[in-house]
Each structure stands twice: as structure tokens, then as C-alpha cells.
Amino acid sequence: MIKFAGLLFPVLITALSFQTALAQDEKTALVPLPSVQDFSKGKDGWSFGLGLGIEYETAYEGSDEFGFELQPAGAVQWRSGDDVFFFAGEALGWRGLRSDTWLLEAAVAFDEGREESDSDDGHLDGLGDQDESVELVLQGRRAFAADWRNWLVGRVVTGGDGTLGLFGVGHRFGNQIDGTGSEVNLVAVFHDSEYANTGFGIDAAQAAASGLDETTLSGGLRSIGIDYNYRHYINENWQIYGEALFEYYSSEVRDSPIARSNYEAEVGVGFIYIF
């Protein structure tokens, strides 16, 4: 019996060490959230993912026209511990994990603006084209526990066209800790008067050119929204993702002649190859 115990002890130590190493290997993502791209697989240094997605979405904010659009997917990332620097689509930024329950992010993003041709039915005729702009995006998530099952989220987007703020709560489904699975966020969105009028306001010149009523918004509550994100590894290199968004506008936004629909919605799916 003593001899057996002497043999069993090192076996148990080896098994526990293997389980610990396995658990460490499995925790590949900076945070286990499907909405946060992380191709590092737990390793410091460069990582790269490239893919393509297709989205079915409203033609512009407030539109009642829908269409399909191809979108590039993926990112170039450099990770050092709990910090990731990234270039993804039209955004260049940093995100970092602090105290296991704080995820902070800052990015400079590019906004394409709006063109009259975005409406195939001519609903934007006379409103003119909006210039492209650069925006600063600041975001923070505060998890209730280190497993990132539930959290609070806040985001501020500001630039040449005003400021937008988002505040809400989120929940993650499943037990994966590699950034796969699914999550849902429920948010309230606010905008200042400049941001509101950029999207839904009509000045005197636009009213004369378009025939629409002159409209000025005061800012405040913009919408209540819900979004869903899904991510899954098909194999070591291929990843499939999906996303859905529904945003219901406030009464002030709905009263704008530009808002031909009471809501904005989009659904997307795509594939990413991780090098």
C-alpha cells in the first residue's frame, strides 16, 4: 500500500500539472467575448485574420430600404500580455484588460458619411452628400466577475459631427473562454444636437432643395437597441461569425422626415481565416 501511494503521488502531480497547463492553453482570448476579435490564441506578438462577410441592412440611418453588402473581416493585431493593439477594417486602436474585470478600449475610426445615392428610391435627393470624417471611440466594459458572464458597457463616439454615447448591459452564453460562443447586449443610445441633426436634421437650404420640412433636433435619447454576436472555430484556422442588430428610434428621431422607418436593423455572417 505504501509502495502504491508512492507511485500514485507523482502521477497525481503530473495529472494536475497537465490540467493546469491545459486550462492555461484554453484561455486564449484577452476576454471571452465573441464581440471582441482576438486572433492571438494566448500568445504575445503578431496575429492576423482575414475574411469576408455579407450583411443585410438598412441603406442609411432611418431608411426603409434594405440591401446586401459585402464587408471585409478580420484584423492585424499585436499582443503584449493584457494589451492588444489592432488595425481592423477602418479602425486603429488599443484595448487592454485591467484587474480581470475591466476592458478598456480607444480607437480612431473612419466614418463614410452619407450620400444622396444611398437611397435608390430618391428619398435623400436634395439633402446633399455628407463628408467623410474621423471619429474617436472610447469604450469600457466592467464585468461583474472574472468569468465575464455579465457586464456593464459604455461607449463614447465623438468627432467633427458631434458626440454619441451608449450605455447598457450584456450577457455571455456558453462556457467557452477562447472568445467563441454568443453574447447579447441591451443598450440605450444618446446623441447631442450636432450628432442628431447630422443624421436626421434638415436645414433651410436642404428643405428648399428636397421639399422636406425643415427639422431641428435637440438631442437626448436616440434609441433603445439590442445586438447579438456569435463566433465559432470550425477548425484550427477557420472561424465563422454572425451578428444581428435592432435599434428602435426615439419619438424625436421618428418625427424626422429622414426617418422613413421607426427602426434600424442589420444581420450579418462571415468567415475569417486566422494565419
Side-chain angles (χ1 to χ4, degrees):
M1 183 67 182
I2 296 176
K3 182 178 180 180
F4 178 75
L7 292 173
L8 181 61
F9 183 72
V11 171
L12 288 173
I13 293 297
T14 302
L16 290 173
S17 299
F18 174 75
Q19 292 294 330
T20 302
L22 181 61
Q24 291 174 346
D25 289 342
E26 287 178 346
K27 190 173 183 179
T28 59
L30 183 67
V31 287
L33 302 182
S35 61
V36 179
Q37 292 188 104
D38 185 353
F39 306 136
S40 66
K41 298 183 178 180
K43 300 178 182 178
D44 286 354
W46 291 101
S47 57
F48 179 55
L50 181 63
L52 187 67
I54 184 170
E55 296 179 352
Y56 183 69
E57 60 183 353
T58 49
Y60 57 89
E61 292 181 345
S63 174
D64 58 356
E65 304 169 56
F66 285 79
F68 289 96
E69 184 176 358
L70 290 175
Q71 293 282 356
V76 178
Q77 302 175 330
W78 186 80
R79 180 171 179 174
S80 177
D82 289 335
D83 296 282
V84 173
F85 299 88
F86 61 88
F87 176 69
E90 298 175 337
L92 176 67
W94 158 87
R95 67 174 60 100
L97 180 66
R98 297 294 180 267
S99 303
D100 291 330
T101 56
W102 278 100
L103 179 66
L104 305 177
E105 182 173 320
V108 176
F110 177 77
D111 180 56
E112 297 177 352
R114 188 186 68 198
E115 299 180 354
E116 290 186 0
S117 59
D118 288 343
S119 174
D120 293 333
D121 296 337
H123 297 310
L124 298 176
D125 291 352
L127 297 180
D129 296 339
Q130 294 179 351
D131 294 334
E132 301 166 342
S133 62
V134 176
E135 299 174 329
L136 175 64
V137 182
L138 302 175
Q139 179 171 247
R141 300 198 199 193
R142 173 63 164 89
F144 293 113
D147 62 359
W148 283 87
R149 181 68 57 196
N150 302 285
W151 60 86
L152 301 175
V153 59
R155 181 188 305 158
V156 175
V157 180
T158 186
D161 296 326
T163 301
L164 177 143
L166 175 154
F167 306 94
V169 295
H171 175 77
R172 181 173 67 90
F173 303 94
N175 298 314
Q176 300 95 321
I177 54 175
D178 60 354
T180 63
S182 60
E183 70 174 68
V184 64
N185 293 274
L186 179 64
V187 299
V189 185
F190 301 84
H191 51 197
D192 66 8
S193 59
E194 183 179 0
Y195 199 100
N197 285 292
T198 298
F200 298 99
I202 302 172
D203 61 27
Q206 290 173 322
S210 66
L212 300 175
D213 293 336
E214 186 174 349
T215 303
T216 302
L217 282 72
S218 60
L221 178 66
R222 169 192 170 96
S223 62
I224 299 295
I226 185 170
D227 67 80
Y228 173 82
N229 290 272
Y230 171 81
R231 198 175 296 272
H232 174 71
Y233 278 103
I234 300 173
N235 55 36
E236 183 68 18
N237 298 103
W238 281 101
Q239 186 182 94
I240 184 174
Y241 71 90
E243 53 191 14
L245 167 70
F246 180 84
E247 183 179 1
Y248 187 75
Y249 293 128
S250 67
S251 58
E252 185 182 42
V253 173
R254 296 198 306 268
D255 288 341
S256 167
I258 296 176
R260 301 183 59 84
S261 176
N262 294 335
Y263 65 89
E264 179 180 354
E266 68 177 62
V267 177
V269 64
F271 295 88
I272 298 175
Y273 183 84
I274 301 172
F275 293 84

